Amino acid sequence: MAFKLLPFSCILFLASSILPVLSHIQGPHLRANTLSGNERNPSPFGFLKAIQGCRKGDTVKGIRDLKLYLAHFGYLHYQKNPNDRDLKEDHFDEELEAAVKSYQVYYHLNATGTLDGPTVSQMAMPRCGYHDIETHEHTHNSLHIVSRYQLFQGRPRWASGQLTYAYGPTFPARFIPPVDRAFGKWATASSGYFRFSRTTSYQGANLKVSFQRVDHRDGSPFNGSGGVLAHAFTPRDGRLHFDADERWAIGAVPNTFDIETLALHEIGHLIGLDHSQFESAIMWGSFAPGVTKGLTSDDIQGIRDLYGF
């Protein structure tokens, strides 16, 4: 996966250097097929390894990309700074240290402010594209984090729990059943408040599910294989996009991502849940390949809080 008409996506800062590619179904997985071999491309978060160990006062090539990463996911406010010169510099300043500490606190890491190994490992994890926290200025009292589920600013929600959904015309047929199951699991978890009905009218559906790649004209382009896996919009926009350049599968298949797990997460965004700080929750923002996850009490409590059922 509150985007204020921008999706939980995923990555403006690296996508500009990645060209659109063609895709096809290969074996049990949805994969990209490019002349250069997309599977050999480095991760869009690969810059992190080169700057591991950096700390306040260092000037190292790649720190600018770290600033862009943290700004995109809500830990820096350079976007609102009338003088954005610092964003273009590879200098590890005091504000970047505060942002790194905020990131470390959010992901339950040791808040050193240094780009240490555990922090780099977490940042490099494939993830949802929506930001973790609202962009803010770093002061001792400015960062307020809820220690479990979170709701979007303004608590956007659907007026009714009876929602239709549809798949885009190129959505792979074999992935429809697991995404259907994800909708059904949210309906069950809501004690019947949500009733999701599949329709053949893609344009007329409340929720629109599709595979997209790179710049797909929603304001938040994907970044090729690795990095951001999917994103969705808040109520009441209804769009959910999977990155077609990732390796997708059904179930826990090594080196692939379970489509149902990511669908559960992104549907959570569609109905109003922000990222959770509870690592077991489906609304935790990052995902490991080859594993599956389901809804937890944290996720269910969040949606009950929002809709009052």
Side-chain angles (χ1 to χ4, degrees):
M1 136 134 69
F3 217 59
K4 301 183 178 72
L5 299 182
L6 290 176
F8 311 57
S9 166
C10 293
I11 290 237
L12 299 174
F13 53 93
L14 291 170
S16 61
S17 64
I18 302 173
L19 297 176
V21 295
L22 301 175
S23 72
H24 68 297
I25 300 297
Q26 185 176 47
H29 316 308
L30 183 69
R31 299 188 58 189
N33 181 28
T34 69
L35 295 177
S36 60
N38 190 59
E39 67 277 5
R40 296 192 297 272
N41 288 347
S43 165
F45 299 157
F47 69 92
L48 291 163
K49 185 175 180 180
I51 59 174
Q52 181 173 323
C54 287
R55 63 186 66 202
K56 185 174 69 173
D58 290 346
T59 300
V60 179
K61 183 177 180 180
I63 288 178
R64 177 180 179 272
D65 291 327
L66 174 62
K67 292 178 179 179
L68 287 164
Y69 177 105
L70 290 169
H72 181 85
F73 290 115
Y75 298 93
L76 279 174
H77 70 286
Y78 283 110
Q79 303 100 313
K80 298 182 179 180
N81 191 335
N83 179 8
D84 65 353
R85 182 180 65 254
D86 290 342
L87 187 58
K88 301 176 182 178
E89 295 177 353
D90 287 314
H91 179 67
F92 203 120
D93 55 24
E94 184 174 356
E95 187 169 11
L96 180 57
E97 180 186 53
V100 171
K101 286 182 178 179
S102 294
Y103 181 92
Q104 291 166 331
V105 169
Y106 190 94
Y107 282 98
H108 314 304
L109 302 169
N110 189 17
T112 62
T114 298
L115 198 66
D116 53 29
T119 304
V120 167
S121 295
Q122 179 61 51
M123 287 182 171
M125 285 282 289
R127 58 165 296 152
C128 170
Y130 189 63
H131 58 69
D132 295 323
I133 58 178
E134 295 295 330
T135 302
H136 61 278
E137 296 188 9
H138 294 279
T139 68
H140 291 297
N141 298 316
S142 65
L143 179 59
H144 175 69
I145 296 178
V146 179
S147 61
R148 47 194 179 108
Y149 68 83
Q150 297 186 109
L151 305 177
F152 297 123
Q153 186 176 19
R155 297 169 65 97
R157 48 175 282 170
W158 293 92
S160 169
Q162 297 189 22
L163 300 173
T164 58
Y165 69 96
Y167 296 99
T170 62
F171 196 91
R174 69 182 307 272
F175 290 139
I176 290 177
V179 178
D180 283 347
R181 287 196 297 270
F183 278 109
K185 287 179 179 179
W186 271 115
T188 299
S190 73
S191 301
Y193 177 85
F194 281 108
R195 297 183 181 182
F196 300 105
S197 303
R198 178 146 60 102
T199 177
T200 57
S201 175
Y202 182 74
Q203 294 302 324
N206 299 121
L207 310 174
K208 301 174 178 63
V209 184
S210 64
F211 274 99
Q212 303 289 342
R213 60 168 22 90
V214 197
D215 187 358
H216 49 286
R217 300 182 182 181
D218 68 354
S220 293
F222 285 129
N223 52 7
S225 179
V228 172
L229 304 172
H231 60 226
F233 289 72
T234 56
R236 304 178 187 173
D237 183 289
R239 287 174 289 175
L240 189 171
H241 299 153
F242 295 99
D243 186 351
D245 284 329
E246 304 295 343
R247 292 175 60 91
W248 297 101
I250 301 172
V253 179
N255 302 314
T256 67
F257 294 95
D258 174 42
I259 191 102
E260 184 175 334
T261 295
L262 266 295
L264 280 169
H265 178 92
E266 301 302 339
I267 293 168
H269 285 320
L270 289 178
I271 59 179
L273 287 181
D274 201 342
H275 286 159
S276 172
Q277 283 194 278
F278 181 41
E279 188 170 359
S280 296
I282 197 64
M283 298 312 297
W284 178 258
S286 60
F287 299 87
V291 301
T292 61
K293 290 181 71 174
L295 299 178
T296 68
S297 59
D298 183 73
D299 305 303
I300 297 169
Q301 288 169 10
I303 210 65
R304 285 178 177 173
D305 179 11
L306 181 58
Y307 287 93
F309 53 79

